[in-house]
Every structure is written in C-alpha cells, then in structure tokens.
C-alpha cells in the first residue's frame, strides 16, 4: 500500500471538532463506580456516557481502577475481557477496528543492483476495541517493522504493500485518537517526571481546561504508572543520573496516555522493567482498554506468564512470516496440535519463542542425542498448520466483519491553541536551557575566559599607529572565536530536535511553534553571553569609548551568536549525529571565516566562488565591517613614522584604503543584514523540516507503486 501522508495517521488535521473534554475534578481512574464525587468518564468523554454504565469500575468490577502500587492479580482472563461496547451515537469519535491484509515490507539493498531485502511477507491480522494484541517473535522477526507499518511510521528507503484499513477504509487518524510509544525514551533530561508529563498535558489537552485540572490529571496518570515516589526526580541524562530506564519507559507511556487515545501502539513497553512493574503497567493498560474501548497493539519481546495472560490476541512472527494469529488462550493448543506441546510449569511465551528461534539450530543439532526438530523445521510445520481453515479462515472472517463497519470518520480532538502551545514550549525550553549546564552556562564561562585573555593580551591599545592592526585583530578574534564556541551547545541542539521530532510525529504541536519558542527562549541567554564578556573585553582593550559604540558592539556580537545558533540548528536537523554535526558545523564556520574579509582582503579574494558568492554569504563579512565602522569612524591615528612623519590618518581612510570596507551604507545596515540572516536561517530550518515531511512519504509512495 502506498503511503501518501507525510505524518502518521494521528497527526493534526484541519478538520473541525467540538470541545471533547469536560472536567469536574479528580481522575478518571480514581472515580467510583457509582458516579459520585470525582471525575467520571462521561464527564471527560461525553460520547462515552452511553456505555460507561455497562463497564466495570476496575478489572474485577470491585472498585476503583486506579493503580496504587498494590494490585490483586485477576483470577481469570475474563477479568480483563473487553466490556460490551456499543458505538451507536458515537460517530464523533468511533472505536478503532484495525485490519491489515497481505502486508509486505522490504528494504532496499545496499549494493547497487541488488534485490530488496524482505522484512515482512504476507502478514494478515486485526485488532478491535477493548483488546490488547501482542506482537511477539524472536529478535529480528519484524515486530517493530509491523508496528511502524500499522502506525504509518516507516522511514525512507522502505517499500510497503498490502491493505491497512481502519473501520473498513483507509483513513488518517486525527490528533488524540491514536498514540505511539516508541522503544527509545526520548525525553528532556533536565525535567522532573512531574514537569515532563505536566508540560505535555498543557500541549495536548484543550486550552479551555483550567491549568489546575490539567495538573491534577497529569498527577493521576503518573500515579497510575507507579511513579508517585519519583514525581520530583529529574529524568537525567549525560550530566545527571536521574530515574532508571524502566521509569523512563513508564514516563513515555504516561505522556501518550494523557488523552486516552482510541488506538495505542506500544513498542517494547516492558523493556527495562522488572516482572512486577511489567505486570502492573500492562494490567493498567489492559484495564483502560477494556473500560474505555481502546485498541492496543503492542510489540513485546518476552513477557512473563502473568503479563502474557493479559493479552487478548497474539500475533506470533518468525522471520517475517506469521506463525500464529488468534486468541492468546488458543496458542498453547495450537502448538500442542502441531507437535510442540508446552512443558508443564513453563511460561508459554518462553516455549513459543524457544521453538521458533533458529539462531541456535546448530547447537541443537550438535548437542542432541535423539532426533529433534530444529527451529527452521518447526517454523515450516507451524506456518503450514496456521494456514489450515481452523485458524486462518477465522482470521479472514473476522477481518471481513470488521471491514463492514462504517460510521463517521475520525475528527481531530480539541487541543491547546497556538498561543498556549507557544507559551508552554517557550517556558519549557527556557527552563531546560537554564538547567542544562552544558547548554549556555559552560559557554558563558568559556566566553568570560576568552574575554579575560583577549582583554589582558590587548590591554589598553591606545591610539598609536600599531593600534590600528591590534584593533583589527581584537575585532577578528571577537567575531570568529566567540561565535565559533556556539558549537559547544550542539549536543543539546540534537537532543532538542529529537524531542521535537517525537512530539511532532505525535501531533502535539507544529514546526512554527517549535522554531518561534526556541528563538524566544534562547535570546535572553545569548544576550547575557554577548553583554557580560563583551563589556569585559571592550573596556579592557580600550576600544573607542561611548555608550552608543558599546551598545552597537554588544548588539552586533549578540546577532552573530544568534546567527551561528540558527545555523547549528539547521545542521542538527540535517546531521542528527552530534559528533558528525560538530565536524560539519566547524567546517562550515571555518569556510565562512576565510571569506570574512580579514585573512584575505575583499579585493584580493578570487572572484569565482570565493568572492561570488561565498564572500557575500558569509556573515563574518557584515559583522566584521560593522565592527570596523563602529571602531574607526571619527577616530584619528598618527601615521607610520617610517613612511610619513607628523601626519595623522583618519579612521575613514583606514576603512577605505587599508581594510577595503564598503562605505556606501551605515553600520546599522550591517546589523539589519545580520538580523535578516537570522530570520532567513530560522525560516530555512522551518522549510527543511516541512520539506522532509512532505517529500519523504511521496518518495516512499513512488517506490511502493513501482514494486506493484
């Protein structure tokens, strides 16, 4: 199936919607079954009130469904069975009946002319409201690829065919109706657990909802995942330890569960969790799915027996092929009938994966005294057995039934407005920059050190003839070296871009909000970096005094720093690896320095390439010439006594004859040009992200058509 959308199906769409959230206080998972005080599902989701009364309050129907860290295991599978769901009158936000037929995915081979490598071959299945579908299989079997295919998240260079339908039609899910929990936990390391979820709640939940209720809802979701004791602990990263990997996974799940999506994709939700935490997390997800009619599709590596009992359906893959699909409770019988019974007291999931993992077939053959079937032979037997009418036809009949389900298409749920998102993102980015020592504070320390070094080396230049050259050197080092240090913040830029991409794919906000908020939050820090070291350097070296000249000096330096920051953001999008990005950024700035008009005077630059266009593209040209005009206009210096005695040289003559500065416009025009370049670089960053979103899916779609 060709992919035509640049974003996953749950990304924001321009379709109108009505307000979805109606709050009364409390939390939907802490409510009482009688509908007394506290939140009720009908007050949060008005369309759900018709069937809420039929759903049990908890897993076993005995009370609140909130997770408090101590949970009684359900005695039978029926305890988490999906509640009866009637979708009449819920056309605004119907349940998700997801089906896929004959899905094939292949990736282009690296060598020229080589055949594409197949990852998935003819995968068919379905998932419905209130169910938890587990995708299992050995490493490399295609679990994550299948999950990405169903979610519309396949990357470039991957070809996809087959039919993926939602309620019987190809449809793009609107924001809030679908969510994806990635395997990688991409979070801001400087934020606490509470702040991370709360900021996300402010972005995702409607702007009409009071901030107090958003915070209460965020706190409730955090406690549901057993993170109550870690609420005020920071996520942690390269600078601080923070929470554990398993807790980060649960924070990621919290973020995507805030809006109670209709369709939830989970990639390795139990990785990094111990058996108890895995059970509690998955039991809560299964409970929410059963209570609210949520469709859950999870790629699970190797669940424990208790976690396996929570799954309603199982899709077992082996090297891109379907070994079994159907109710999880029928998998054991299927293996037994096929000649691979599960030993007594062994976890069924362990037995399934051990049977179909052929990575160690050689060891089985060498160590076995009796003739035992290898995993490759077992896979062939099981796949053939699954194709029998007893199993495959049941799957096809259920798919045909789901394809006949109609109803209104999905609509975008209400979320925060543009101004609210902009304010929240600016505030979050400001706090992140303030706490990240490596982002600006270490650079400020380096800038202060450089300012002291330059100020003491060029201390009080005076007004001798030799001071002309010294002033030029101070200006060159200020423009080149201080702006070059913006590379130090590149690792933080990369982390910001990763968080942005995850949240952008989930439809939390757009590119414009990110670009504007990043600019607004970074400007105060860049101003501090420019003013404090600039003032120290300016007065230690004895540059031309005057408040207007000093103000121009720091403004020019601030513009240069902002411009380099914008350029590094562009590089962070194009080259996401921070080591390669630093190399590329250093190379680009090095080339710009060579064409800045200092190392080689403008009239001496080779005209092809280096002067036209590199000289006019380099921001160093406008920064250096602005500094020159600010420093030399209105000044006089004694001439070189070896050439001409008792004669003074005006600053204007120095600019025109010795430095070859363009004098057809004032120094403030140079500031305006630098400001315009900052805007151009930010717009270029915006355009690169948007073009990537538009072009990559179209190219993937073209490849899909060629393969048909």
């Amino acid at each position: 199936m060709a992919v035509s959308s640049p974003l996953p199906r749950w990304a924001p769409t321009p379709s109108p919607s009505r307000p979805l959230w109606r709050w009364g206080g409390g939390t939907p998972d802490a409510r009482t079954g009688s509908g007394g005080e506290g939140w009720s599902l009908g007050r949060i989701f008005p369309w759900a009130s018709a069937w809420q009364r039929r759903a049990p309050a908890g897993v076993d129907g005995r009370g609140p469904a909130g997770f408090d860290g101590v949970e009684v295991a359900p005695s039978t599978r029926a305890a988490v069975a999906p509640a009866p769901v009637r979708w009449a009158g819920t056309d605004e936000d119907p349940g998700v009946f997801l089906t896929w037929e004959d899905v094939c995915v292949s990736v282009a081979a690296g060598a020229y002319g080589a055949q594409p490598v197949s990852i998935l071959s003819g995968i068919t299945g379905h998932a419905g409201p209130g169910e938890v579908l587990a995708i299992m299989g050995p490493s490399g079997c295609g679990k994550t690829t299948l999950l990405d295919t169903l979610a519309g998240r396949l990357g470039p260079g991957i070809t996809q065919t087959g039919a993926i339908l939602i309620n019987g039609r190809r449809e793009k899910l609107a924001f809030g109706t679908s969510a994806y929990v990635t395997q990688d936990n991409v979070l801001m390391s400087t934020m606490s657990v509470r702040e991370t979820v709360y900021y996300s709640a402010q972005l995702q939940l409607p702007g009409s909802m009071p901030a107090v209720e958003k915070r209460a809802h965020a706190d409730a979701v955090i406690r549901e995942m057993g993170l109550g004791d870690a609420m005020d602990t920071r996520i942690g990263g390269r600078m601080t330890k923070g929470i554990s990997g398993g807790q980060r996974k649960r924070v990621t799940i919290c973020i995507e569960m805030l809006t109670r999506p209709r369709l939830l994709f989970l990639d390795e939700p139990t990785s990094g969790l111990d058996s108890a935490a895995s059970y509690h997390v998955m039991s809560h997800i299964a409970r929410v799915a059963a209570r609210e009619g949520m469709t859950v599709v999870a790629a699970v590596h190797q669940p424990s027996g208790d976690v396996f009992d929570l799954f309603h359906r199982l899709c077992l893959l082996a090297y891109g092929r379907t070994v079994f699909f159907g109710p999880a409770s029928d998998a054991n019988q299927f293996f037994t009938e096929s000649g691979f019974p599960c030993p007594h007291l062994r976890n069924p999931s362990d037995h399934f994966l051990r049977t179909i993992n052929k990575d160690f077939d050689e060891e089985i053959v060498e160590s076995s005294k009796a003739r035992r079937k290898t995993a490759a032979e077992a896979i062939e037997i099981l796949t053939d057995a699954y194709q029998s009418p007893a199993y495959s036809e049941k799957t096809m009949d259920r798919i045909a039934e789901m394809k006949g389900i109609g109803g209104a298409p999905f609509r975008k749920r209400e979320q925060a407005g543009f101004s609210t998102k902009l304010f929240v993102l600016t505030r979050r980015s400001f706090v992140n920059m303030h706490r990240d020592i490596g982002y600006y504070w270490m650079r400020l320390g380096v800038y202060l050190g450089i300012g002291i070094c330059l100020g003491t080396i060029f201390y009080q230049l005076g007004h001798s003839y030799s001071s002309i050259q010294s002033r030029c050197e101070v200006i060159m080092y200020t423009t080149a070296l201080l702006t070059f240090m913006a590379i130090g913040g590149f690792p933080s830029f990369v982390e910001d871009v990763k968080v942005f991409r995850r949240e952008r794919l989930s439809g939390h906000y757009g590119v414009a909000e990110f670009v504007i908020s990043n600019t607004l939050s970074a400007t105060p820090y860049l101003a501090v970096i420019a003013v404090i070291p600039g003032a120290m350097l300016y007065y230690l070296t004895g540059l031309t005094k005057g408040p207007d000249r000093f103000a121009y000096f720091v403004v020019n330096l601030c513009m240069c720093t902002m411009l380099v920051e914008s350029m590094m953001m562009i590089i962070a999008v194009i080259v996401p690896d921070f080591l390669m990005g630093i190399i590329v950024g250093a190379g680009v700035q090095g080339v710009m320095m060579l064409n800045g008009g200092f190392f080689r005077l403008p009239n001496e630059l080779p005209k092809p390439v280096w002067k036209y266009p590199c000289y006019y593209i380099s921001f160093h040209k406008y920064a250096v010439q602005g500094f020159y005009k600010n420093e030399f206009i209105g000044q006089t210096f004694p001439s070189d006594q070896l050439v001409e005695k008792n004669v003074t040289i005006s600053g204007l003559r120095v600019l025109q004859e010795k430095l070859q500065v363009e004098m057809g416009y004032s120094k403030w025009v140079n500031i305006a040009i630098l400001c315009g370049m900052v805007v151009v670089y930010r717009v270029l960053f915006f355009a690169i992200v948007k073009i990537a979103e538009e072009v990559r899916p179209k190219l993937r779609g073209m490849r899909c058509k060629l393969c048909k």
Side-chain angles (χ1 to χ4, degrees):
M1 178 183 69
V3 179
S4 59
S5 173
L7 291 174
R9 286 185 287 270
W10 62 86
T13 60
S15 59
S17 64
R18 62 178 176 84
L20 179 64
W21 298 79
R22 297 179 183 174
W23 299 85
T27 169
D29 284 334
R31 69 186 188 282
T32 60
S34 61
E37 292 186 359
W39 291 357
S40 68
L41 187 62
R43 297 165 76 178
I44 299 175
F45 300 102
W47 45 263
S49 58
W51 56 271
Q52 177 190 352
R53 293 184 295 271
R54 294 189 298 274
V59 174
D60 51 6
R62 292 183 290 105
F67 170 64
D68 58 2
V70 179
E71 190 171 39
V72 179
S75 57
T76 63
R77 181 178 299 274
V80 292
V85 179
R86 298 178 184 176
W87 298 107
T90 63
D91 289 342
E92 292 86 354
D93 203 0
V96 174
F97 292 86
L98 179 65
T99 63
W100 57 97
E101 297 180 74
D102 197 24
V103 171
C104 298
V105 177
S106 60
V107 61
Y112 178 77
Q115 294 296 323
V117 178
S118 177
I119 302 177
L120 297 177
S121 302
I123 307 299
T124 299
H126 58 82
E131 296 181 351
V132 178
L133 168 65
I135 303 175
M136 290 177 52
S139 299
C141 69
K143 300 187 296 293
T144 300
T145 301
L146 177 58
L147 200 69
D148 290 343
T149 304
L150 299 178
R153 286 200 174 198
L154 288 179
I158 300 178
T159 303
Q160 168 197 336
T161 59
I164 300 177
L165 305 179
I166 296 173
N167 294 350
R169 56 179 175 269
R170 288 187 174 92
E171 183 173 356
K172 176 182 177 181
L173 292 180
F175 167 78
T177 58
S178 186
Y180 189 110
V181 178
T182 60
Q183 186 173 355
D184 298 328
N185 306 314
V186 182
L187 302 167
M188 284 189 171
S189 61
T190 59
M191 299 292 168
S192 67
V193 172
R194 188 196 304 270
E195 290 170 333
T196 299
V197 181
Y198 180 52
Y199 279 124
S200 185
Q202 288 182 301
L203 293 171
Q204 297 186 64
L205 302 182
S208 58
M209 184 191 307
V212 175
E213 295 182 356
K214 289 183 180 180
R215 183 183 294 273
H217 180 53
D219 290 344
V221 173
I222 292 172
R223 291 190 178 93
E224 287 172 355
M225 288 292 143
L227 294 170
D229 294 336
M231 273 189 174
D232 297 317
T233 305
R234 293 189 181 181
I235 301 298
R238 61 182 184 276
M239 301 296 294
T240 57
K241 176 65 172 68
I243 60 178
S244 66
Q247 289 174 320
R248 293 183 190 180
K249 171 66 69 176
R250 283 184 275 171
V251 172
T252 305
I253 297 175
C254 286
I255 292 174
E256 300 301 336
M257 292 284 286
L258 282 169
T259 59
R260 292 294 191 258
R262 300 284 79 205
L263 175 60
L264 178 63
F265 295 101
L266 301 168
D267 190 7
E268 301 288 355
T270 59
S271 63
L273 304 180
D274 57 67
S275 58
S278 299
Y279 172 75
H280 287 313
V281 169
M282 290 306 301
S283 64
H284 170 70
I285 294 174
R287 182 167 57 245
V288 173
R291 184 178 64 240
E292 302 182 6
M294 180 190 300
T295 303
V296 180
V297 182
V300 186
H301 183 62
Q302 190 165 3
S304 63
D306 291 336
V307 172
F308 183 80
D309 288 339
L310 297 173
F311 301 146
H312 301 96
R313 294 189 181 275
L314 173 65
C315 177
L316 191 59
L317 301 179
Y319 306 96
R321 302 165 61 188
T322 302
V323 172
F324 172 80
F325 183 92
S329 56
D330 295 346
N332 214 343
Q333 180 182 355
F334 171 77
F335 271 74
T336 301
E337 293 175 352
S338 301
F340 304 96
C342 179
H344 186 57
L345 299 180
R346 177 180 293 180
N347 181 3
S349 62
D350 291 343
H351 172 67
F352 301 156
L353 296 179
R354 182 180 300 182
T355 303
I356 62 176
N357 191 339
K358 64 180 182 181
D359 293 339
F360 306 98
D361 273 356
E362 293 183 2
E363 297 182 11
I364 293 176
V365 173
E366 293 176 359
S367 62
S368 177
K369 297 181 180 179
R371 172 61 178 168
R372 289 192 300 168
K373 290 184 174 63
T374 62
E377 295 172 338
I379 292 173
E380 292 297 330
I381 295 173
L382 292 170
T383 52
D384 291 340
Y386 174 71
Q387 297 302 322
S388 64
Y391 293 98
S392 62
E393 286 190 2
K394 288 183 180 179
T395 302
M396 298 306 299
D397 292 342
R398 181 56 179 161
I399 290 176
E401 181 182 348
M402 288 184 173
K403 289 168 66 174
I405 297 174
F410 289 99
R411 292 184 179 181
K412 176 184 175 182
R413 288 182 177 176
E414 183 187 358
Q415 59 183 146
F418 179 85
S419 58
T420 302
K421 291 180 181 179
L422 185 60
F423 174 78
V424 172
L425 290 174
T426 302
R427 182 180 177 183
R428 186 180 71 172
S429 181
F430 190 90
V431 173
N432 179 49
M433 293 174 183
H434 173 73
R435 294 177 180 175
D436 192 345
I437 297 176
Y439 212 145
Y440 284 105
W441 301 118
M442 288 188 67
R443 271 197 285 167
L444 177 60
V446 173
Y447 277 42
L448 290 173
I450 294 175
I452 293 173
C453 293
L454 290 177
T456 52
I457 291 174
F458 294 94
Y459 182 73
Q460 296 301 315
L461 296 173
H463 286 79
S464 63
Y465 179 79
S466 62
S467 70
I468 298 175
Q469 180 66 24
S470 298
R471 291 170 190 271
C472 294
E473 290 171 352
V474 170
I475 289 172
M476 185 277 296
Y477 280 115
T478 301
T479 307
L481 191 57
L482 290 183
T483 56
F484 192 84
M485 293 306 300
I487 294 178
F490 186 79
S492 298
F493 300 158
V494 172
E495 295 302 320
D496 283 353
V497 171
K498 287 181 179 179
V499 173
F500 158 70
R501 281 177 168 164
R502 177 185 64 80
E503 295 176 334
R504 170 60 177 157
L505 285 173
S506 297
H508 295 177
Y509 53 85
V511 183
E513 292 96 320
F514 173 72
V515 175
I516 297 174
S517 64
N518 182 268
T519 304
L520 294 177
S521 58
T523 300
Y525 294 100
L526 297 176
V528 170
I529 288 177
V531 172
I532 298 178
M536 183 184 301
L537 169 64
Y538 195 87
Y539 288 103
L540 282 176
T541 56
L543 297 177
T544 304
K545 292 181 174 58
D548 58 331
R549 295 180 185 265
F550 170 72
Y552 182 91
F553 183 87
V554 295
V555 169
N556 198 349
L557 182 58
C558 184
M559 286 293 103
C560 293
T561 309
M562 289 186 64
L563 199 149
V564 175
E565 189 112 331
S566 302
M567 184 179 67
M568 296 304 294
M569 290 294 291
I570 294 175
I571 295 175
V573 174
I574 300 175
V575 187
D577 180 75
F578 75 90
L579 181 58
M580 294 180 62
I582 290 176
I583 296 172
V584 173
V588 171
Q589 289 199 62
V591 172
M592 287 186 174
M593 289 179 193
L594 291 176
N595 296 281
F598 178 84
F599 296 103
R600 187 76 168 170
L601 292 175
N603 294 338
E604 298 173 358
L605 284 172
K607 289 183 173 54
V609 180
W610 299 115
K611 188 168 185 180
Y612 305 103
C614 290
Y615 173 65
Y616 292 95
I617 293 176
S618 172
F619 76 90
H620 294 83
K621 166 191 181 300
Y622 307 101
V624 169
Q625 290 196 5
F627 280 130
Y628 282 164
K629 293 175 184 179
N630 186 62
E631 182 61 28
F632 289 105
I633 290 179
Q635 300 296 312
T636 58
F637 302 89
S639 66
D640 188 353
Q641 299 299 309
L642 297 177
V643 178
E644 191 174 6
K645 296 182 179 180
N646 301 325
V647 176
T648 59
I649 302 175
S650 67
L652 185 61
R653 182 180 173 187
V654 172
L655 293 174
Q656 292 175 331
E657 297 181 4
K658 295 187 177 297
L659 301 178
Q660 300 177 7
V661 175
E662 299 172 0
M663 300 301 298
Y665 48 87
S666 70
K667 62 183 181 181
W668 295 105
V669 175
N670 293 94
I671 290 289
I673 293 174
L674 291 175
C675 184
M677 293 181 74
V678 171
V679 175
V680 169
Y681 277 14
R682 292 285 173 167
V683 171
L684 186 59
F685 169 79
F686 175 87
I688 290 174
V689 176
K690 295 295 290 184
I691 290 173
E693 292 178 353
E694 297 291 340
V695 172
R696 288 182 180 178
K698 291 180 180 179
L699 293 176
R700 186 166 65 242
M702 292 174 60
R703 285 191 291 268
C704 292
K705 292 179 181 179
L706 292 175
C707 293
K708 288 183 178 180

